[in-house]
Structure formats: C-alpha cells, structure tokens
Amino acid sequence: MRWTALYARSRHLTVALAAVLLCAAVLPLLLGDSWSTVFATVTLGAAVAVAGVGLSGQDLDLDRTASFRWPPRRLTHLLVIGVVAGGVMLAAQGLADLPIDSSWILRDVAGLLGLTGLAATLFGGQFGWTLPMGWAMTAALVPKAVGQAYDVVAWPMATADSAQAWWVAGLLFVAGTAAYTMAGAHR
C-alpha cells in the first residue's frame, strides 16, 4: 500500500479532492435559485479540470522507471476523477433539488474526462485542465441559433436526449481515456 500513498502525494490528490468538492458541491448550493445549465456546465468542467492537474507527477522519468505497469493505474486515476466529480454533482443535485438530469451529468462527465485525458497526453498533466475548462466555457457562450451544429459544438450544454451530444461526448471519452491510459502525460 506504500505506493498508493506515494502516488496520492505526488499527484496532489487531497488538494484535488478538496477542489472537486468545492466546485461540484459548494457552487450549486451557493447559487441556489439562479442555478442553470450554464452554471452546471462550467461547474462540472471546473470539477473535472482541477483534478486533471494531477495526471502527472513531478518527475516523469522517475514514473517511467517504476517496476509495475502504468496503464491500469492511469485508467483508474482518470475514472476516479469522473466518478468523484459526477458523484458529488449528483449528490449536490439531491441536496439542493437542482433541475439537472442525471443522464446529462453522466454524459458531460464522460466527455470532459476524455478532454482531460487528451489535454494531459498532448500538453502535460499540469495542463490537464485546459481542454475541459476551455470547452465548457466555450459551450456556455455558443448561441443556440447555430442550429444542428449546436449539439456538436456545445455538447455540454445540449439537452440530455441529444444523440449528437452523446456521440461527441462518447468519442471524446474513448479517445481521451485511451490516449492517456496508453501514453500517459506529455513530458
């Protein structure tokens, strides 16, 4: 179990957990009646993004010399981020009676998690926050007047029953988790 404690320390998991709780639980409760899909998208993006910063350690060369296989641990780390962010958001929905569908939360967590994995693989773990936070903020600003493309470009803001949004989130999830699991964070 010693490697687990070292892994948690090197990835700043306690700070990430506190930040996820702050983003996904406290913000919805503070916003109360002004809670909307826009705030939910940005909040969920922030919750996934802050935990994504820990997807790499301080010394990637040291990580690569470990005597165990990294892919299962990378996949587990990424999935735990999604479970915690989504679970906390679902719990906040129940506590404050907020009008966000649980399938919407599941879809957005999956897509944002994939973006986090892609960002860590392409830019490094310290920049794992860039793609999920950037796409969440962009989606909040895209006008609905763009028609059919809205569900593709602004998939985090689309309704829970949008097939296009589910496809985009699913593709991002598969691509991001596969890239991060196999390659790890960029140097």
Side-chain angles (χ1 to χ4, degrees):
M1 283 296 260
R2 184 165 161 75
W3 78 265
T4 309
L6 290 172
Y7 183 85
R9 283 184 62 195
S10 72
R11 301 303 197 269
H12 306 290
L13 294 184
T14 53
V15 174
L17 180 61
V20 168
L21 291 172
L22 179 69
C23 292
V26 175
L27 288 176
L29 297 175
L30 288 176
L31 290 169
D33 293 336
S34 62
W35 185 250
S36 67
T37 308
V38 173
F39 287 123
T41 299
V42 174
T43 298
L44 200 51
V48 171
V50 296
V53 172
L55 289 177
S56 67
Q58 286 81 15
D59 188 355
L60 290 174
D61 291 327
L62 181 62
D63 284 354
R64 296 187 194 290
T65 62
S67 63
F68 49 78
R69 296 191 50 209
W70 277 105
R73 288 163 177 81
R74 288 185 196 127
L75 178 62
T76 301
H77 187 169
L78 202 57
L79 293 178
V80 166
I81 290 172
V83 167
V84 170
V88 171
M89 186 70 121
L90 285 171
Q93 297 293 316
L95 291 175
D97 193 32
L98 302 171
I100 304 297
D101 189 6
S102 59
S103 62
W104 181 91
I105 293 172
L106 174 69
R107 181 199 65 209
D108 281 16
V109 164
L112 292 168
L113 202 58
L115 286 170
T116 303
L118 282 174
T121 303
L122 296 174
F123 312 126
Q126 69 274 25
F127 297 111
W129 63 272
T130 55
L131 291 178
M133 203 60 220
W135 204 318
M137 295 296 289
T138 301
L141 299 173
V142 172
K144 288 189 179 194
V146 295
Q148 289 275 14
Y150 179 80
D151 286 351
V152 174
V153 175
W155 61 267
M157 294 287 298
T159 60
D161 61 350
S162 168
Q164 294 95 337
W166 276 97
W167 273 102
V168 172
L171 289 172
L172 288 171
F173 176 75
V174 168
T177 54
Y180 179 71
T181 298
M182 300 324 279
H186 186 281
R187 291 180 181 248

